[in-house]
Amino acid sequence: MLNSLKSPLLLSAMLSAALGLTACSSPSSEGSDTASADSAATDTAADKLDTKFLTIATGGASGPYNIIGTSLSEVYVKTFGVNSKTQTTGASVENVNLLTQGKVDMVLALSDVVTDAVEGKNNFEQPITNIQQIAVLYPNVVQIVTSEKSGIKNIEDLRGKRIAVGDQGSGTEVNARTLLEGFGITYDDVTVDYLGFAEAADGMKAGKIEAAFFSSGLPNSSLMELEQGLDLQIVTINQDKLKEIIATKPYFKTFEIPAGTYGNETAIPTAAIMNALLVSSDLSEADGYKLTKALFDNLDGLKTAHQAANDISLETARDGMVAPIHPGAKKYYDEQSAK
């Protein structure tokens, strides 16, 4: 009888203890679960963009714009899982127009073209107000090439010649026209062919043109190929005269093509224009911050993709900006400066 009474009492005590333990442990478990969920949500937010698509307008298929742009697109896919791709174009002018029209989300463009866009000059009938800059990238080097037998030594010798100046409206064509005019040469003084890099190289090989403008990072793949089958010569640009041009066109800078770049024994004095990375002003501050950070976090990969990216650096990313800075990019640079 005693045993039969003890068993229910013991069972009741055990149940009460179990319920007490459960009650004590429940708040702790819920708090842990909540903290984990909050952490996961934060991680997810950091790894995602507000935008679902990110199309980057570049340039010709063989140019540094497209190579670097494609590598950057791959970074954004890997980092954020965003649907990112590149679009080959006629480069700077077309890129700015595509960005302004909302047809792409990010573009590479030459600073002289961006300056015209912001001021509403030349190829732009009115000031463009819905573009912002993420970074100053690397210098586009003006490479005017000819053959040794042409007799062309400097830019003044182009007068009366048949020359390729880049795709119509491209950054190459814009700075070719500007430089020629700075040296007193208009398109009326030359025969102009609007040819991209690959087409210009083919024209040089075939002897259909006497000189061509290539404005890109170093080295240009089309010129490297052209060097193999042509007695290539790079045309010099007088630096004193260039400095006079820079007084009114400050986006230009003096530059030297290093010896050995295209088999040249000595450095070649020329001009350069910095490249700009632009986005729409509609891009959120959070996305602008993340895209800028991912660019510099993955700079080694871009340098592997193309040698021109060696000149991209966090230290110079704000030097010579020609469009308003995107607030997200500014936030990133301000954080880096504070470290």
Side-chain angles (χ1 to χ4, degrees), residues 208-222:
K208 294 180 179 179
I209 55 177
E210 296 167 275
F213 280 78
F214 291 74
S215 183
S216 74
L218 294 176
N220 182 289
S221 59
S222 292

Side-chain angles (χ1 to χ4, degrees), residues 1-10:
M1 182 70 179
L2 186 60
N3 288 340
S4 63
L5 288 172
K6 284 183 176 180
S7 294
L9 289 172
L10 180 60

Side-chain angles (χ1 to χ4, degrees), residues 184-327:
I185 302 171
T186 71
Y187 277 7
D188 292 335
D189 300 316
V190 294
T191 302
V192 169
D193 282 337
Y194 296 103
L195 301 173
F197 295 158
E199 295 81 2
D202 289 341
M204 289 285 296
K205 286 179 184 177
K208 294 180 179 179
I209 55 177
E210 296 167 275
F213 280 78
F214 291 74
S215 183
S216 74
L218 294 176
N220 182 289
S221 59
S222 292
L223 286 185
M224 292 180 73
E225 292 178 13
L226 184 60
E227 179 192 355
Q228 305 306 313
L230 188 75
D231 54 343
L232 192 69
Q233 178 168 299
I234 304 173
V235 177
T236 62
I237 295 179
N238 181 285
Q239 300 294 278
D240 290 334
K241 182 62 178 177
L242 177 60
K243 288 174 183 176
E244 294 179 16
I245 296 171
I246 291 172
T248 57
K249 311 291 184 185
Y251 42 75
F252 279 115
K253 60 183 291 186
T254 58
F255 199 88
E256 285 190 340
I257 298 172
T261 302
Y262 301 112
N264 48 305
E265 294 182 357
T266 60
I268 308 294
T270 187
I273 309 99
M274 298 306 291
N275 284 294
L277 185 63
L278 305 172
V279 293
S280 168
S281 57
D282 293 334
L283 185 76
S284 71
E285 179 177 338
D287 280 4
Y289 176 90
K290 292 173 187 176
L291 293 174
T292 306
K293 183 177 187 299
L295 163 67
F296 290 102
D297 284 350
N298 294 274
L299 200 49
D300 287 345
L302 299 188
K303 292 176 180 179
T304 300
H306 197 284
Q307 183 178 330
N310 288 329
D311 290 316
I312 303 174
S313 75
L314 180 59
E315 291 72 26
T316 60
R318 283 191 283 187
D319 295 347
M321 279 196 173
V322 291
I325 187 171
H326 188 278

Side-chain angles (χ1 to χ4, degrees), residues 146-159 161 210-211 231 233 235:
T146 186
S147 63
E148 289 183 6
K149 63 182 180 182
S150 70
I152 300 171
K153 302 294 183 183
N154 52 59
I155 196 169
E156 294 93 333
D157 294 333
L158 294 176
R159 189 183 299 272
K161 306 297 184 182
E210 296 167 275
D231 54 343
Q233 178 168 299
V235 177

Side-chain angles (χ1 to χ4, degrees), residues 101-124:
Q101 295 161 9
K103 295 180 178 178
V104 297
D105 309 290
M106 176 181 283
V107 306
L108 291 91
L110 281 168
S111 291
D112 54 350
V113 171
V114 180
T115 299
D116 285 349
V118 171
E119 297 178 356
K121 295 180 178 179
N122 296 323
N123 291 286
F124 305 92

Side-chain angles (χ1 to χ4, degrees), residues 80-116:
F80 305 114
V82 67
N83 185 352
S84 182
K85 62 180 181 178
T86 56
Q87 180 174 324
T88 57
T89 66
S92 297
V93 174
E94 182 180 350
N95 288 356
V96 172
N97 284 328
L98 288 170
L99 184 61
T100 301
Q101 295 161 9
K103 295 180 178 178
V104 297
D105 309 290
M106 176 181 283
V107 306
L108 291 91
L110 281 168
S111 291
D112 54 350
V113 171
V114 180
T115 299
D116 285 349

